[in-house]
Amino acid sequence: MDWQIARGLVGYDEAVAAMADRAARIRAGTAAELVWLLEHPPLYTAGTSADPADLLAPDRFPVHASGRGGQFTYHGPGQRVAYVMLDLERRRRDLRLYITCLEQWIILALARFGVAGERRAGRVGIWVVRRGGAEHKIAAIGVRVRRWVTMHGLAINVAPDLEHFSGIVPCGIADKGVTSLADLGIAAGMAELDRALEASFDEAFAPLSPMLNHSAASVVSDPGSR
């Protein structure tokens, strides 16, 4: 397993091309699995289920069609994107379990900052409950699998400009807000979050450990974005 942290902003098309190349080499057995941590310049991505009506400001930032599941998502500076390339053929061919592990990874990392990230049935991403009961999204998940090698992954809001989310209906959910560690009053930077993600990875992905003897596979052809 390799870990890489990109310096500077990485263009979206460049990142997708690099992911595809790495995924192909993982499948060929010539490269190790990879967690790639990076930031993008401001942009919107449209997943395979994106509704054009949810793109409220089409001329604001570049819009990229994405092969991942899900709807519209914002990426930009101050948001930690983690692209995860794992070999589910070697680990376990269970896409729902993989998405559950991604969710747990975010929850465990946020807990290190005293943030209670929560799942919500029927809603994508990881959520926090604000004072007064309002629920705001702090992390998005969108995945793609090619020949059982995973691509794309998750995005956690550290300190992005939250107003940039107003150009879309994030993940198709119009009646909920978005938040970040900075918005919650937590003065943590990318380096601190990166350390939390690395420290939480093994625990979160233990159910997919290649050392376990898995006897069955669950095949999910279109996981969408969670």
Side-chain angles (χ1 to χ4, degrees):
M1 165 73 72
D2 292 340
W3 286 75
Q4 294 180 6
I5 301 176
R7 304 302 176 189
L9 302 180
V10 180
Y12 189 76
D13 290 339
E14 174 188 349
V16 171
M19 272 193 290
D21 176 72
R22 182 66 175 237
R25 291 190 290 120
I26 291 170
R27 172 50 52 236
T30 59
E33 295 177 317
L34 174 65
V35 175
W36 186 21
L37 305 176
L38 55 86
E39 293 175 81
H40 286 305
L43 57 90
Y44 298 127
T45 66
T48 55
S49 302
D51 182 344
D54 288 342
L55 181 59
L56 306 178
D59 298 324
R60 186 170 190 184
F61 298 127
V63 180
H64 296 264
S66 173
R68 62 162 175 81
Q71 303 184 49
F72 280 103
T73 300
Y74 167 76
H75 293 312
Q79 182 189 71
R80 175 52 86 211
V81 174
Y83 288 139
V84 184
M85 285 148 271
L86 299 184
D87 184 356
L88 298 187
E89 183 75 54
R90 183 173 66 92
R91 289 173 174 268
R92 183 172 181 178
R93 295 200 306 171
D94 190 329
L95 195 47
R96 293 191 188 279
L97 178 60
Y98 170 65
I99 294 173
T100 297
C101 291
L102 286 176
E103 293 171 336
Q104 186 65 12
W105 189 28
I106 298 169
I107 290 169
L108 291 173
L110 292 177
R112 291 174 175 264
F113 302 100
V115 176
E118 300 179 1
R119 299 175 174 91
R120 287 292 181 269
R123 275 196 252 144
V124 298
I126 296 298
W127 301 78
V128 297
V129 179
R130 309 295 295 270
R131 184 172 297 178
E135 295 177 332
H136 286 182
K137 188 173 185 177
I138 194 168
I141 295 174
V143 304
R144 182 180 183 182
V145 174
R146 180 179 293 175
R147 297 180 63 196
W148 291 108
V149 177
T150 65
M151 298 172 60
H152 299 274
L154 57 87
I156 301 175
N157 297 330
V158 179
D161 186 339
L162 295 180
E163 199 278 329
H164 288 177
F165 285 87
S166 66
I168 58 171
V169 178
C171 298
I173 302 173
D175 61 344
K176 305 293 181 182
V178 292
T179 190
S180 66
L181 290 177
D183 186 48
L184 295 172
I186 297 169
M190 289 293 174
E192 290 86 356
L193 179 60
D194 292 347
R195 287 193 290 270
L197 287 168
E198 187 165 6
S200 304
F201 185 88
D202 286 345
E203 179 180 353
F205 286 86
L208 284 174
S209 170
M211 302 301 294
L212 297 178
N213 181 20
H214 300 302
S215 60
S218 300
V219 177
V220 182
S221 59
D222 184 9
S225 175
R226 294 178 57 103

